[in-house]
Amino acid sequence: MDARQMTAMAEATRLTRQGRLAEATALIQQTLAGPAVRRRTADAPSAGQETGSTPGRYPATPPALAAGQGTQLRRALPGWLTRRRTLPGRDAQDLRRPHRPAAPAVNRPAGSFEAFSYSDAAGTRDYRLYVPSGHTGGSLPLVVMLHGGTQDAAIFAAATGMNDLAERQGFLVAYPQQPASANPGKYWNWFVPGHQHRDAGEPSLIAGITRQVTDRYGADASRVYVAGFSAGGAMAAVMAAVYPDLYAAVGVHSGLPYAAADDVASGFAAMKRGRSRPGRPPTRPVPLIVFHGDRDATVAPANAAGLIDDVLEAASPDGRPGWPPAPVTTGQMPSGHAYTRTCYQDPAGAALAEHWTIHQGGHAWSGGVPHGSYTDARGPDASAEFIRFFDEHPADPQPGRTVPAHARGD
């Protein structure tokens, strides 16, 4: 290898370490094929870069990386397809979804991903619904996914890979969509008091979509879940607080606690510093899984702690949690982020909440597709871990339970 090739290979190594695999591959091919490369290609977004910050620009997704192995989960609950998933351990390997080469279309029928709409007194919202192939009317779980700002239903579905997971594991996924007419940036209005109560505003519309899908497709009402990212994560927290009878568990990625703000100014303040006002947790806890990067410059990591605090307070008999030390697991993704997973149990010893901190992670969906809208492929797989947590938390029927007064809008 001559000096020119050695220099090029060193540059390719640098690009690879930065996650810029396409550029590194092209440079190696050009170096080995002929004369020296005189000009590098334009920079491509690296894994973890927030490409969704430029509206309308979503780079094509390169081939996915292969996944490693981990410790096998217990048998799935009835109604979910039995599957191999992983729980992190101190020596856990890569938790990203395993990717297999796609089979010809004739041998691998795809599920349907169609557009619908729902209307009530609060207005109209479009939504997309994924129904896995082979669904013949059996009772399946339903996951409602709320996108972040500047995104829409299709972009969010592609970024999180949730439809692929639904196809392989057998559940429905609904994606309510916020129009620009409701918010210029397509953000859910989680910070507006009129959208923080039951049977009013956006919560009414999202709940209506949830019920419409449940009724139309015969979804299992005991296994209906809500999750979201950023503004969608904040709205998912609202939905869990005001509709604790509708959702069995909630997943919040890079979001904020319920009622953390009551106008635009306090909303921005909460995003930057965390909630400054006393919390208003629900009176009945909904099991919660939280993912948040500790270098998130858009939504402060303190908001993740606020979400956990609200659930623990709601679950404590005297409203003041006096919890024993929570089990903590740490891990490292190969060529990716380290993480810490903290698990919390209710006073009866049942798993109640999980807090995943992605070290050096920014404002991006952990384990999402490379170069997707607000995704970081170098983190543990948030989509798979949300579904694993939901699998472990079907609704706990409580005859005669009441809806909290603040959820009713009192």
Side-chain angles (χ1 to χ4, degrees):
M1 182 178 295
D2 59 26
R4 174 185 62 80
Q5 292 174 323
M6 292 179 64
T7 299
M9 289 302 178
E11 173 66 1
T13 299
R14 185 185 70 82
L15 292 171
T16 299
R17 288 173 177 170
Q18 294 179 352
R20 295 158 64 177
L21 302 181
E23 292 177 78
T25 300
L27 180 57
I28 292 172
Q29 291 173 339
Q30 294 172 11
T31 299
L32 296 179
V37 177
R38 299 188 183 278
R39 184 174 60 85
R40 283 184 19 217
T41 58
D43 286 346
S46 62
Q49 194 170 350
E50 297 175 7
T51 59
S53 60
T54 303
R57 182 186 176 206
Y58 301 104
T61 301
L65 301 177
Q69 300 295 323
T71 57
Q72 189 171 357
L73 263 180
R74 62 170 174 76
R75 183 177 179 83
L77 293 170
W80 296 80
L81 298 182
T82 301
R83 58 201 184 272
R84 289 180 61 86
R85 269 311 308 154
T86 56
L87 282 172
R90 295 186 182 278
D91 57 350
Q93 301 299 309
D94 194 341
L95 294 179
R96 286 171 294 189
R97 293 183 295 278
H99 292 271
R100 293 182 289 273
V106 294
N107 296 327
R108 186 177 180 271
S112 65
F113 191 41
E114 298 182 9
F116 301 91
S117 68
Y118 171 82
S119 299
D120 67 11
T124 299
R125 289 295 182 275
D126 295 335
Y127 67 95
R128 299 290 294 272
L129 177 68
Y130 187 84
V131 179
S133 60
H135 176 57
T136 57
S139 183
L140 297 181
L142 167 64
V143 178
V144 178
M145 293 283 286
L146 303 177
H147 63 76
T150 75
Q151 297 178 320
D152 61 24
I155 287 170
F156 191 44
T160 60
M162 193 61 80
N163 288 356
D164 177 64
L165 205 56
E167 178 66 23
R168 290 190 282 114
Q169 298 185 12
F171 57 92
L172 305 166
V173 194
Y175 301 87
Q177 186 164 282
Q178 180 77 317
S181 58
N183 183 293
K186 300 182 181 178
Y187 294 88
W188 297 99
N189 291 299
W190 56 271
F191 49 86
V192 177
H195 299 293
Q196 296 175 349
H197 298 286
R198 185 183 182 94
D199 299 332
E202 291 166 9
S204 173
L205 292 163
I206 295 168
I209 290 170
T210 303
R211 294 187 180 113
Q212 187 176 80
V213 173
T214 300
D215 293 344
R216 181 181 295 170
Y217 290 86
D220 185 343
S222 70
R223 290 175 296 162
V224 176
Y225 308 94
V226 62
F229 170 71
S230 192
M235 184 55 74
V238 171
M239 298 305 297
V242 303
Y243 289 98
D245 53 333
L246 184 58
Y247 301 104
V250 57
V252 177
H253 199 312
S254 309
L256 298 95
Y258 169 60
D262 56 14
D263 57 24
V264 174
S266 60
F268 275 114
M271 290 170 61
K272 293 301 181 183
R273 295 186 294 275
R275 181 177 56 198
S276 60
R277 66 190 64 211
R280 186 161 37 129
T283 58
R284 187 171 68 82
V286 174
L288 166 72
I289 181 170
V290 175
F291 267 63
H292 213 117
D294 65 7
R295 294 296 180 90
D296 190 333
T298 301
V299 177
N303 287 289
L307 284 157
I308 295 293
D309 288 344
D310 283 356
V311 172
L312 299 186
E313 183 176 341
S316 182
D318 60 2
R320 301 284 300 178
W323 304 90
V328 176
T329 303
T330 60
Q332 172 73 55
M333 300 298 294
S335 303
H337 292 296
Y339 59 86
T340 299
R341 172 179 177 246
T342 305
C343 299
Y344 301 87
Q345 297 177 335
D346 66 18
L352 177 62
E354 292 187 13
H355 181 184
W356 290 67
T357 299
I358 313 304
H359 300 297
Q360 306 297 315
H363 193 66
W365 188 273
S366 181
V369 300
H371 310 315
S373 170
Y374 293 100
T375 60
D376 187 344
R378 298 169 296 170
D381 189 342
S383 295
E385 296 305 330
F386 276 25
I387 297 306
R388 187 266 310 161
F389 184 83
F390 294 162
D391 181 356
E392 297 171 349
H393 292 86
D396 182 16
Q398 299 182 29
R401 67 189 181 192
T402 59
V403 176
H406 68 261
R408 298 194 304 266
D410 296 356

